[in-house]
Amino acid sequence: MSARFALWTAFWLAIACCADVSAHVTTTGLVRIELSGDRLSYALSVALPEIPQASASMLNAAANGDRSAAEAVAEAARRSVTIDLGGTRCRAGRVRIGGAGANETRATIEIGFTCDPGHGRLTVTEDWGGLLGEHYQSLGNIHTSNGERQVVFGETSRTAAIDIDRPVATGWLDFVKLGVEHILTGYDHLLFLLALLAIARGFWSVVKIVTAFTLAHSVTLTLAALGFVRVPERIIEPLIAATIIWVALENLFAAAPDRRRWMWSFGFGLVHGLAFASALGELELKGAALLRALVGFNAGVEIGQLIFVVIALPLLTLMSQGRAAQLTPRIASIAAAAIGTYWLLERVLVG
């Protein structure tokens, strides 16, 4: 009994700690790289609300003509991005800072490079940790004369390389990895799943809940990535917090919450799918590139979701044995409601 109590305590303390971190721990930048002859352009776009306040203020000042701020950003840019072509370092040139005006929520940093004419391997290394924060990641398009590739510059891998003399690979595995990371670092999505599963009764109940959530977010992820549906993040993010609160309160007060749980899982899964699609939509991919990214990212989300369910469900089952059969779901729901309320207020009041 003491071992179970220790496990139970550690589990819920871990959940409670989620309230002290943002729902997505990574800032997502969008990168476009184009190589034409001996000229290469690197362009980064970031959402100002996602980066540290000091950096957002500096970018805003630089974009609006502050010379010292512009010089500081340019120096940070040249330190943060290095590019090699055929084993020779490309030379960084002019840095342009755009966006961040009165009505802008994104800023852009463009760097021009001059490379020695050559062949072979194009290697791009970026590390914006000093400006964008420790946990950022970037989604990138690399364009060369032989095609286009989508890549991810993540926390564990800041380098991407392609052979410019060969048709580029599809890169869809990068998006599988991105999908896995997105949901496993998306604590709001995980907390929603946990609230759904807290009162699940039996194997088929879990299957219906998870399947309904999967189908729903796959639908809206696809529609949003294809451009058929577009809902601003300032609306979606508070709604996601509200879905957590609703499910948690239903767990606590509904007479038989498990009876209709798959329906709530499907309905609210539509909302979560719109959040999943936000990064892909901003990449503005088309044709086969969009299809590869969509299939890879969605597969990654499903893999990450399955990993979480396989780990969380046995723990919930273990902690719900004996006298804890009623206690664990109730504490789970109370914790989810409290954290969901915190996120809702934060997203409505702070943005």
Side-chain angles (χ1 to χ4, degrees):
M1 186 66 179
S2 59
R4 186 190 302 168
F5 178 78
L7 180 62
W8 183 92
T9 301
F11 188 73
W12 295 119
L13 281 175
I15 294 173
C17 287
C18 293
D20 293 326
V21 297
S22 60
H24 296 282
V25 299
T26 50
T27 299
T28 301
L30 305 175
V31 173
R32 184 177 182 86
I33 299 167
E34 295 190 16
L35 175 65
S36 178
D38 64 347
R39 300 289 180 176
L40 183 143
S41 66
Y42 170 100
L44 170 70
S45 172
V46 293
L48 293 177
E50 294 182 359
I51 67 177
Q53 181 60 45
S55 297
S57 298
M58 184 166 62
L59 281 171
N60 185 60
N64 286 284
D66 186 306
R67 185 171 180 177
S68 62
E71 290 175 353
V73 173
E75 180 61 26
R78 295 189 182 100
R79 288 197 310 266
S80 300
V81 181
T82 58
I83 295 177
D84 295 271
L85 177 58
T88 302
R89 180 65 50 87
C90 297
R91 297 173 294 280
R94 184 176 179 182
V95 177
R96 296 183 178 89
I97 301 100
N103 297 315
E104 296 282 348
T105 60
R106 301 193 73 88
T108 59
I109 302 173
E110 299 180 21
I111 313 171
F113 288 86
T114 302
C115 304
D116 291 338
H119 299 277
R121 200 167 186 81
L122 175 67
T123 303
V124 181
T125 302
E126 58 151 60
D127 189 348
W128 291 96
L131 187 67
L132 303 183
E134 180 183 356
H135 300 295
Y136 86 93
Q137 64 184 4
S138 299
L139 311 181
N141 281 341
I142 300 179
H143 298 260
T144 72
S145 59
N146 273 324
E148 172 185 292
R149 177 176 177 178
Q150 291 72 49
V151 298
V152 178
F153 299 97
E155 290 188 63
T156 58
S157 177
R158 300 297 191 192
T159 299
I162 61 172
D163 188 336
I164 65 170
D165 297 322
R166 299 179 181 178
V168 297
T170 63
W172 80 279
L173 285 175
D174 289 313
F175 283 93
V176 173
K177 179 183 177 183
L178 178 64
V180 173
E181 292 177 348
H182 186 86
I183 192 165
L184 291 183
T185 60
Y187 299 119
D188 46 2
H189 303 303
L190 298 183
L191 190 58
F192 175 74
L193 271 173
L194 190 64
L196 286 173
L197 296 172
I199 50 84
R201 297 291 181 267
F203 175 77
W204 287 113
S205 176
V206 173
V207 169
K208 287 192 293 184
I209 289 170
V210 174
T211 300
F213 184 65
T214 297
L215 290 175
H217 69 62
S218 296
V219 168
T220 45
L221 168 60
T222 301
L223 291 176
L226 293 175
F228 293 112
V229 179
R230 192 173 297 275
V231 183
E233 286 188 23
R234 66 178 184 274
I235 296 175
I236 292 299
E237 293 300 321
L239 283 177
I240 288 175
T243 65
I244 298 170
I245 298 169
W246 180 284
V247 172
L249 293 179
E250 189 186 42
N251 289 350
L252 292 169
F253 299 113
D258 190 46
R259 184 180 304 170
R260 299 182 303 276
R261 182 45 51 89
W262 69 271
M263 288 188 275
W264 291 121
S265 180
F266 184 86
F268 291 151
L270 296 172
V271 177
H272 286 251
L274 293 173
F276 291 152
S278 59
L280 293 185
E282 292 176 335
L283 280 175
E284 298 182 351
L285 301 175
K286 295 180 181 179
L290 175 58
L291 181 61
R292 290 194 300 267
L294 183 58
V295 171
F297 185 79
N298 197 48
V301 169
E302 306 315 325
I303 293 170
Q305 176 180 289
L306 182 60
I307 291 171
F308 176 75
V309 171
V310 167
I311 293 173
L313 194 59
L315 290 175
L316 279 173
T317 302
L318 176 61
M319 291 183 291
S320 298
Q321 299 296 319
R323 289 180 292 177
Q326 299 299 321
L327 182 62
T328 293
R330 290 188 65 81
I331 293 182
S333 301
I334 291 170
I339 296 171
T341 301
Y342 172 81
W343 280 336
L344 178 62
L345 293 174
E346 180 185 50
R347 294 171 185 185
V348 169
L349 298 177
V350 180

